[in-house]
Amino acid sequence: MKSVINTVTGGTLALALALTPISTIAAPVVRTIFQSMASGTQAKLQTINVWNGHGVAISFYEISETIKKVWLDDPSQILLDTDGCLEGLDQNCSSPGAGLIHLRRIKRVNIPGIPQTSTTLLTVITQSSSGERKAYSFRLATSNGTPKYSQVAIKADVAREQTAPKPQLQSLVKTQQTINQIRGGIVVAIKSGWILQQDELHQRLQKLIGYLQAGDDISTATNKADVSQDLVNKLIALNNNSDNLRQGNSL
């Protein structure tokens, strides 16, 4: 009899899981907030949503900062817990420190003296291994509907030099060589009467050189200036041939 009940129960559970929308099973997990977005003079107040029956964790693991103290201005709707003891939250906490904060929504509790609002402020004080302290501020908001994340990861800011690498010296030298070759070809073409300085083509070639000097590659520059790659190649060939003739005459 017991095996029959287990079979029926297992079949019902499997059917229920099969009929459950995938979106409710596998919701997005991690949301990233960089340090400068929540701490420092350039920070802007970041909103973290907490849904019914769906806790949200704020993790400081990736930046290796230890949480020392937290303040939750309105605890009437959101409960706060950490993975370590903190001063002000736990009694007899001789060595306060944590790396993660867990937030959970509860049914509103009327607390005398605290006005009822839809949002509240969470302040977090952390300390780095070198002893530097930082203050983070988050706006907590109660939300309904499908949860959008389960964890908020605080990450270090990416260095500006890493996001915008400096141009290599070799590529700059090569670009300047190309510009010089095009200019030399234009001079030969003008002397031969194939191009006139007042022609529109000459103006487009000058724009091409300007785009190259601004950092565009040859393909982008030719498209912007409406100049064909074949013409550029011919101008470079004219310059090279002219250089070869001059060298031959000097010999």
Side-chain angles (χ1 to χ4, degrees):
M1 181 67 177
K2 185 176 180 181
S3 61
V4 173
I5 294 174
N6 290 339
T7 302
V8 173
T9 304
T12 304
L13 178 59
L15 180 61
L17 289 174
L19 295 177
T20 303
I22 295 178
S23 60
T24 62
I25 297 176
V29 177
V30 181
R31 170 190 169 192
T32 297
I33 295 179
F34 291 103
Q35 285 178 296
S36 62
M37 298 168 63
S39 178
T41 56
Q42 303 298 320
K44 294 183 179 180
L45 196 59
Q46 302 295 312
T47 299
I48 297 177
N49 302 92
V50 184
W51 290 268
N52 282 329
H54 187 89
V56 175
I58 306 176
S59 170
F60 290 81
Y61 292 146
E62 296 194 36
I63 56 174
S64 300
E65 290 183 3
T66 302
I67 303 167
K68 290 295 185 179
K69 192 173 180 63
V70 297
W71 289 277
L72 181 60
D73 290 352
D74 180 5
S76 65
Q77 295 185 88
I78 296 175
L79 291 183
L80 183 152
D81 195 8
T82 65
D83 63 341
C85 75
L86 293 181
E87 180 184 350
L89 289 182
D90 305 275
Q91 294 181 353
N92 303 322
C93 184
S94 58
S95 180
L100 182 141
I101 299 170
H102 184 264
L103 306 171
R104 182 161 56 94
R105 183 178 176 182
I106 60 173
K107 187 176 180 180
R108 182 188 292 275
V109 177
N110 291 325
I111 301 178
I114 296 182
Q116 294 186 353
T117 59
S118 59
T119 64
T120 186
L121 184 70
L122 172 67
T123 304
V124 183
I125 304 299
T126 67
Q127 183 173 310
S128 66
S129 57
S130 63
E132 180 186 3
R133 291 211 168 199
K134 289 184 179 180
Y136 295 83
S137 297
F138 305 97
R139 179 193 291 116
L140 304 184
T142 56
S143 300
N144 300 313
T146 303
K148 296 181 179 179
Y149 45 84
S150 300
Q151 183 181 132
V152 176
I154 309 301
K155 291 190 177 183
D157 292 274
V158 180
R160 189 179 301 272
E161 290 76 15
Q162 294 177 352
T163 57
K166 296 179 181 179
Q168 297 296 319
L169 179 60
Q170 185 176 359
S171 63
L172 293 175
V173 172
K174 185 177 180 181
T175 299
Q176 188 58 50
Q177 289 176 344
T178 301
I179 292 173
N180 292 340
Q181 289 173 328
I182 294 173
R183 281 175 171 166
I186 293 174
V187 171
V188 174
I190 291 175
K191 287 182 178 180
S192 302
W194 300 325
I195 296 177
L196 299 178
Q197 288 187 340
Q198 62 269 27
D199 285 349
E200 181 187 355
L201 177 58
H202 184 265
Q203 296 175 2
R204 284 189 274 129
L205 289 171
Q206 296 305 314
K207 289 182 180 180
L208 168 69
I209 292 174
Y211 291 135
L212 290 173
Q213 290 174 328
D216 288 338
D217 57 50
I218 190 67
S219 177
T220 303
T222 52
N223 288 333
K224 285 184 176 180
D226 193 20
V227 175
S228 70
Q229 184 67 53
D230 288 340
L231 176 58
V232 173
N233 293 337
K234 289 177 181 178
L235 291 173
I236 293 175
L238 282 175
N239 174 77
N240 294 340
N241 291 336
S242 176
D243 286 344
N244 292 335
L245 285 175
R246 284 196 296 269
Q247 291 175 2
N249 290 335
S250 64
L251 295 176

